[in-house]
Amino acid sequence: MTTIRTRFAPSPTGFMHVGGVRTALFAWLIAQQSNGTFLLRIEDTDKVREVEGSIQQIEQSLRWLGIDWKEGIDVGGEHGPYLQSERLNIYRQWAQKLVDQGRAYADPYTKEELEVFRENAKASKQPFLYRNHRPEQPPVWDGTQSLRFKSDPKAYKWQDAVMGELSTGPEAIDDFVLMKSDGYPTYNFCHIIDDMLMGITHVLRSQEFISSTPKFLNLYDALEITPPVLATLPYVMAIDGKKKLGKRDGAKDILDYGKEGYLPEAMMNFLATLGWNDGTEQEVFTTTELIEKFSLDRVQKSPARFDEQRLLWLNGQHIRLLSLDALYERVVDFWPESASTSTKEHKIAVLSLVQDRLKTLADLSVASSYFFETPTPNWSMADDNKQLRKLDQEERKNLLSQALTALEQSDFDASSVQDTLNQLLETTGQKPGILFSLVRLAVSWAPFSPALHDTIATLGKDETVTRISAAIETA
Ligand code: GLU
């Protein structure tokens, strides 16, 4: 069995969004599961479209997600360099080889001449094919003209690992540009040379390249290279399923999700299940499970939909999977400012109470602030509450005073507090919906809090007494 070698080959033309990273992830997963190699190559041959800083951003995005590469840019390897602009000599040599074999020729036409050919084809309602205008005596190629492939038009039938059997007629094949006049190769040419020299066994890429595949196959033939396994990944669409995911529909920098409190493993789970499932109802997958279960033949042929609500849900699920210590490590940047003087022990206790409520790590600040700072009583919240609205001022004060007295005498572990609260129900004859809501409000002034006895025990006796007293005063 040959070892799988895959690559991610982004162009440094801007930040990494969901669609791009998903391609990288799928390629990484199939390499990981076979103990193969996933490498990172940067395709920077289109200098006009290049955006400064993108390479670093691509690397950071992959690292954040946990997609590592043991070969490629930054880390090196025996097939380097992995930056295409440092491989120009290699492409030139292969281009020359094709010239020598009579399979490539210098393009003698000016832009204007080409335009005329195009116009004529349009006027006679024919598709424009460059190969219909092959020059009889092309000039000698000196590297300053663009170089075209002399194609061998024919029908192709091939197997795509995701799309299944595909076929095209000879009209799909034309004399495409291999080398541009600026000395840089085209993507169409150099990715084939690189994939071959780098021993790539599986090429995973987005649907936008599918129409070029017959051209690639024709070039593989000319170079006498056996093509790698080709796997085309359908587009990621906006939630309405009608258009390709764009910036407006949430195609943002993957690193922004980290800043917003998403876990990389949740993002990985989300990306992996954009157009893939394992054939069961399972939705939450750990990275280890993904490596074990992922397979190209279960990737959907139809476009996937980007559903940010699903990402949010998955994130909450992955937050729950974390141990308290692991969660503590992850939330360093997400505590409310008032937590800065708190002990680790207290913070862990708070985390144990709010963990299940967090959808993103960024929710922590609001969900936990009242554990670290004494909130100001806000009785309008009682008026907004259907149950509490029924109590008049006297009743509020009275109930809270009874609670205060009982709690002052209570031990302050969670179960003693719970006992105290239960006894209080009996002595006051109140419903939990009223009594507990009132006490909850008095100690937290938050719309939600974890179980009341846990909340009170974590706040501690002094703080609880202070808060209930302040509530009584202002009621
Ligand atoms: N450089 C191409 C891109 O960023 C890579 C396509 C491929 O994976 O072959 O879209």
Side-chain angles (χ1 to χ4, degrees):
M1 199 179 108
T2 50
T3 333
I4 290 186
R5 286 175 61 85
T6 60
R7 84 313 193 262
F8 182 48
S11 304
T13 51
F15 65 76
M16 294 264 284
H17 63 73
V18 170
V21 190
R22 186 189 60 161
T23 306
L25 174 62
F26 286 8
W28 180 79
L29 287 173
I30 65 166
Q32 290 296 108
Q33 63 189 195
S34 71
N35 252 330
T37 304
F38 166 80
L39 66 87
L40 178 60
R41 177 173 83 217
I42 300 291
E43 304 205 321
D44 63 336
T45 59
D46 189 347
K47 289 294 162 189
V48 183
R49 288 177 59 226
E50 198 161 321
V51 175
E52 222 193 289
S54 322
I55 300 183
Q56 290 77 355
Q57 216 177 2
I58 290 167
E59 294 186 27
Q60 270 177 23
S61 305
L62 295 176
R63 289 202 173 106
W64 176 70
L65 266 172
I67 299 181
D68 55 347
W69 59 101
K70 291 180 203 78
E71 193 178 322
I73 192 92
D74 239 21
V75 298
E78 57 178 310
H79 305 283
Y82 295 90
L83 187 66
Q84 285 188 327
S85 60
E86 291 174 3
R87 301 173 63 81
L88 300 183
N89 275 338
I90 301 176
Y91 309 130
R92 257 200 87 114
Q93 281 167 21
W94 282 89
Q96 189 59 50
K97 215 159 147 176
L98 285 166
V99 173
D100 295 345
Q101 290 168 352
R103 292 307 305 271
Y105 57 92
D107 183 341
Y109 301 116
T110 61
K111 259 195 190 145
E112 291 73 25
E113 285 169 314
L114 269 180
E115 204 38 50
V116 173
F117 296 154
R118 256 196 203 103
E119 290 297 320
N120 290 345
K122 210 164 146 192
S124 55
K125 298 205 162 59
Q126 295 293 316
F128 169 72
L129 284 169
Y130 190 96
R131 59 176 152 88
N132 293 338
H133 305 278
R134 265 179 208 160
E136 268 168 35
Q137 288 285 307
V140 174
W141 182 59
D142 62 11
T144 65
Q145 317 101 309
S146 59
L147 184 74
R148 282 190 185 260
F149 176 47
K150 189 171 175 191
S151 63
D152 174 20
K154 55 180 158 185
Y156 278 101
K157 195 182 263 185
W158 73 100
Q159 201 63 31
D160 183 287
V162 172
M163 297 296 182
E165 188 172 277
L166 299 171
S167 58
T168 48
E171 67 288 346
I173 311 272
D174 198 9
D175 291 4
F176 59 93
V177 176
L178 301 171
M179 298 289 289
K180 296 176 281 185
S181 56
D182 63 5
Y184 281 90
T186 57
Y187 163 76
N188 291 345
F189 176 46
C190 65
H191 87 273
I192 286 182
I193 301 298
D194 284 348
D195 285 344
M196 181 251 311
L197 294 176
M198 296 178 185
I200 300 303
T201 59
H202 292 64
V203 167
L204 279 70
R205 69 186 146 208
S206 128
Q207 192 175 346
E208 66 186 287
F209 296 97
I210 201 163
S211 60
S212 303
T213 307
K215 288 194 234 174
F216 303 154
L217 294 174
N218 208 233
L219 184 55
Y220 280 120
D221 281 348
L223 292 165
E224 294 181 329
I225 302 172
T226 310
V229 173
L230 302 176
T232 298
L233 307 179
Y235 289 128
V236 177
M237 308 293 274
I239 181 84
D240 64 7
K242 293 205 181 95
K243 54 181 185 319
K244 233 174 101 176
L245 186 69
K247 282 187 192 162
R248 280 197 195 167
D249 324 288
K252 60 184 174 195
D253 186 340
I254 204 89
L255 288 171
D256 284 344
Y257 287 100
K259 293 182 200 132
E260 290 169 18
Y262 286 85
L263 299 177
E265 60 269 41
M267 179 55 88
M268 189 184 270
N269 186 164
F270 174 68
L271 292 172
T273 49
L274 265 182
W276 172 84
N277 62 62
D278 72 341
T280 71
E281 297 288 298
Q282 184 171 351
E283 292 200 66
V284 180
F285 293 91
T286 64
T287 302
T288 316
E289 284 174 320
L290 288 175
I291 293 172
E292 196 181 296
K293 297 184 174 177
F294 182 78
S295 73
L296 282 177
D297 54 17
R298 291 204 57 87
V299 174
Q300 268 166 235
K301 290 191 178 83
S302 53
R305 287 182 196 202
F306 177 81
D307 180 355
E308 220 169 18
Q309 287 307 313
R310 188 162 176 275
L311 170 61
L312 191 63
W313 177 78
L314 278 173
N315 201 53
Q317 299 298 311
H318 279 271
I319 289 177
R320 284 169 210 204
L321 290 179
L322 294 173
S323 69
L324 282 175
D325 280 328
L327 181 58
Y328 180 76
E329 298 295 322
R330 303 289 191 98
V331 294
V332 178
D333 295 332
F334 295 96
W335 289 107
E337 242 179 71
S338 48
S340 60
T341 51
S342 220
T343 63
K344 176 173 179 183
E345 199 190 348
H346 183 53
K347 285 181 172 171
I348 295 250
V350 170
L351 284 179
S352 76
L353 298 189
V354 301
Q355 180 169 26
D356 285 1
R357 290 199 165 268
L358 304 178
K359 287 218 170 79
T360 72
L361 303 180
D363 292 342
L364 179 64
S365 180
V366 171
S368 73
S369 64
Y370 57 86
F371 284 106
F372 304 102
E373 57 201 271
T374 311
T376 316
N378 171 11
W379 281 103
S380 70
M381 292 179 78
D383 301 333
D384 292 342
N385 181 305
K386 257 198 272 162
Q387 306 267 20
L388 297 183
R389 204 185 285 155
K390 296 179 193 154
L391 300 175
D392 62 25
Q393 194 190 21
E394 189 94 348
E395 286 168 317
R396 287 174 186 173
K397 279 192 194 278
N398 184 13
L399 280 176
L400 284 174
S401 301
Q402 292 189 58
L404 183 62
T405 314
L407 284 164
E408 271 172 336
Q409 285 155 20
S410 172
D411 283 337
F412 249 70
D413 58 278
S415 87
S416 307
V417 173
Q418 183 158 31
D419 291 345
T420 306
L421 290 170
N422 286 338
Q423 277 162 23
L424 203 58
L425 280 179
E426 284 177 29
T427 47
T428 59
Q430 276 295 348
K431 289 191 234 139
I434 292 189
L435 181 71
F436 291 174
S437 301
L438 182 66
V439 178
R440 179 192 304 279
L441 207 58
V443 296
S444 71
W445 299 103
F448 307 103
S449 80
L452 185 57
H453 59 280
D454 284 331
T455 305
I456 289 178
T458 306
L459 284 171
K461 193 172 215 163
D462 292 349
E463 190 60 27
T464 304
V465 167
T466 308
R467 292 185 187 191
I468 298 182
S469 307
I472 296 170
E473 245 164 70
T474 54

